Amino acid sequence: MTRLRRIVVVGASQAGWATAAALRRFSFDGVITVIGDEPHAPYSRPPLSKGVLGGTEPDSSVFLAGADDLDLVTGLTAVRLDAGRKRVVLSDGDSIGYDGLVIATGARARRLSPDADEITLRTLDDALRLRDRLRNADDLAVAGGGFLGMEIASTAATLGKSVTVVDQVTPLAGRLGALLSDMCRTAAAETGVKIRTSPAGVRIEDGRLVSADGTVLAEAGLVVTAVGDLPNTEWLRDSGVVLAGGVVVDPCCRVAPHIVAAGDVISLPGADGRFTRSPHWWNALTQATIAAATLLGREPDARLGSTAPIFWTEMFGLRIRIAGKLPPSGEPIVVGGSLEDRSALLTWPASGRNAGFGTAAAVNFPISAPKLTRLAQPR
Ligand SMILES: Cc1cc2nc3c(=O)[nH]c(=O)nc-3n(C[C@H](O)[C@H](O)[C@H](O)COP(=O)(O)OP(=O)(O)OC[C@H]3O[C@@H](n4cnc5c(N)ncnc54)[C@H](O)[C@@H]3O)c2cc1C
């Protein structure tokens, strides 16, 4: 096997930074260049919709601890991959050669309109801008009742804003299942947040959220959209890298010889053969370790899909961590705490042979992430 001397990581965020750190942990002593298009040093996004937006967490707390001896390049975009010549072409016209490449370009906010003024929340700059705008607004309309939209609504409600969330479907039901999503919506209603559904969809019109038939669903001083994300793969077009709703990887995060990928940008086939992404913080970290091992020719300790995926969300006084198959369906077993107290450890065991993962959830309940993951493993 060729000994790698220079590894280039494209994407200077959670996955890219964690992969670089794992490469050093695995004793890679060559050059690691991390290239990111944002002007900031790598930072963590989860606090952006929570403590940073709410002003309860210092902005500086988001920055990730440094990995050893890295060459970090910020404010430059990778515009093309020439995999044949093993070069990444950059937005300043220069290019950089590699003998190992990590693709970690993540995702960006999907937008509801072509309007450049549409307010979304993906980056630190977005969060700081939204926080400023929120200060001067009495009310907020949020398009999209997924995790991000509901977290923004929750934070705005704690700031005393009048909040309306509009979604095509019942918020969170598709991911958290009936019981937990119901708990979130009840907690939202208790803080005064209004939720409206519009099966035909929603568009922004004159600063209002409007349904397909023109019904005004929400009118507020400030409108923010949280309608999903899109993988940043444009720079890989015509490179030979296989794209299917993201960068396709094998269970070892391998994309092609000498190329691995990790984080929100990757796409995996589900049981039905359809490719999907699972864009969550913990996944980015797990994949980073697998990708680093694979790139160095080591056998990764775990493979994608061998342990139950896990993520968390915080909204309306609920800290929910959930591992395994989503959405859980049916009645859970209450392993600890109580649902009435909104502090509970729940499991939905896998049913039937070859059923794959079950689900385990901790709602305001202290349990380590590895233990929660184990509760969701097939028995
Ligand atoms: C507001 C918010 C709150 C969240 N809260 C939670 C939570 O509570 N729990 C949870 O599990 N997950 C949460 N997430 C998701 C989590 O943050 C992501 O899973 C994680 O950031 C993924 O990291 P990543 O490095 O793969 O991608 P990203 O964080 O998207 O980073 C990719 C980086 O690559 C850069 N880039 C893109 N294209 C190029 C290019 N061509 N050249 C150079 N650089 C490029 C991007 O600008 C970006 O800096 C949240 C996300 C957001 C936005």
Side-chain angles (χ1 to χ4, degrees):
M1 197 187 63
T2 3
R3 191 165 137 73
L4 305 182
R5 294 308 314 153
R6 174 187 274 271
I7 293 177
V8 170
V9 179
V10 184
S13 185
Q14 202 77 55
W17 208 234
T19 309
L23 288 165
R24 287 289 184 239
R25 268 201 320 279
F26 293 145
S27 306
F28 174 70
D29 61 0
V31 178
I32 302 177
T33 304
V34 182
I35 298 164
D37 60 1
E38 293 190 62
H40 305 289
Y43 60 88
S44 179
R45 291 178 208 277
L48 301 184
S49 49
K50 307 173 184 76
V52 170
L53 186 60
T56 55
E57 213 171 304
D59 302 347
S60 57
S61 69
V62 300
F63 291 102
L64 299 171
D68 285 346
D69 193 19
L70 301 178
D71 176 11
L72 172 65
V73 181
T74 55
L76 265 189
T77 308
V79 293
R80 195 166 64 80
L81 170 64
D82 183 342
R85 293 174 55 225
K86 292 192 179 170
R87 296 198 79 82
V88 174
V89 182
L90 302 170
S91 48
D92 63 357
D94 218 342
S95 72
I96 180 167
Y98 63 82
D99 43 26
L101 176 69
V102 180
I103 298 172
T105 43
R108 61 183 179 277
R110 191 167 84 79
R111 306 179 82 83
L112 210 50
S113 71
D115 185 351
D117 292 339
E118 182 178 329
I119 299 172
T120 56
L121 174 49
R122 180 77 202 178
T123 66
L124 177 57
D125 292 344
D126 292 340
L128 300 183
R129 213 167 12 239
L130 178 56
R131 190 173 71 192
D132 268 358
R133 301 283 298 267
L134 258 181
R135 252 186 221 128
N136 302 317
D138 294 327
D139 38 23
L140 172 74
V142 183
F147 295 117
L148 181 57
M150 293 293 273
E151 288 187 5
I152 295 170
S154 169
T155 303
T158 60
L159 294 172
K161 311 297 169 185
S162 164
V163 185
T164 306
V165 176
V166 180
D167 201 317
Q168 251 182 315
V169 295
T170 308
L172 304 175
R175 300 287 285 155
L176 290 183
L179 184 128
L180 291 177
S181 70
D182 209 36
M183 189 187 282
C184 292
R185 290 191 306 276
T186 304
E190 286 165 3
T191 66
V193 169
K194 294 178 276 302
I195 294 176
R196 304 196 63 180
T197 47
S198 169
V202 59
R203 62 173 196 275
I204 307 175
E205 205 177 270
D206 302 327
R208 300 171 309 176
L209 294 179
V210 177
S211 75
D213 65 6
T215 309
V216 176
L217 300 161
E219 195 158 6
L222 186 60
V223 175
V224 59
T225 64
V227 291
D229 59 11
L230 297 170
N232 293 318
T233 54
E234 289 74 7
W235 68 286
L236 297 166
R237 231 179 260 145
D238 304 323
S239 66
V241 165
V242 181
L243 303 175
V247 172
V248 175
V249 294
D250 76 4
C252 298
C253 291
R254 190 180 290 105
V255 174
H258 312 296
I259 305 180
V260 293
D264 285 11
V265 76
I266 76 168
S267 180
L268 288 164
D272 59 2
R274 284 195 314 165
F275 284 85
T276 48
R277 293 182 304 117
S278 188
H280 297 297
W281 184 88
W282 247 302
N283 294 345
L285 292 195
T286 311
Q287 292 155 8
T289 307
I290 297 173
T294 300
L295 193 58
L296 297 178
R298 298 164 61 115
E299 181 60 29
D301 289 343
R303 289 174 173 236
L304 298 181
S306 64
T307 54
I310 177 168
F311 75 89
W312 87 100
T313 182
E314 289 165 39
M315 59 178 80
F316 310 110
L318 301 169
R319 179 168 194 262
I320 300 177
R321 288 171 298 151
I322 185 161
K325 191 175 136 205
L326 298 181
S329 60
E331 287 301 307
I333 299 167
V334 181
V335 181
S338 94
L339 281 167
E340 290 70 36
D341 295 343
R342 292 186 184 163
S343 168
L345 179 62
L346 311 168
T347 62
W348 290 257
S351 52
R353 274 178 162 219
N354 306 321
F357 297 122
T359 310
V363 181
N364 295 337
F365 194 92
I367 181 173
S368 71
K371 274 191 185 153
L372 190 67
T373 307
R374 279 200 292 280
L375 282 176
Q377 293 294 122
R379 314 261 153 121

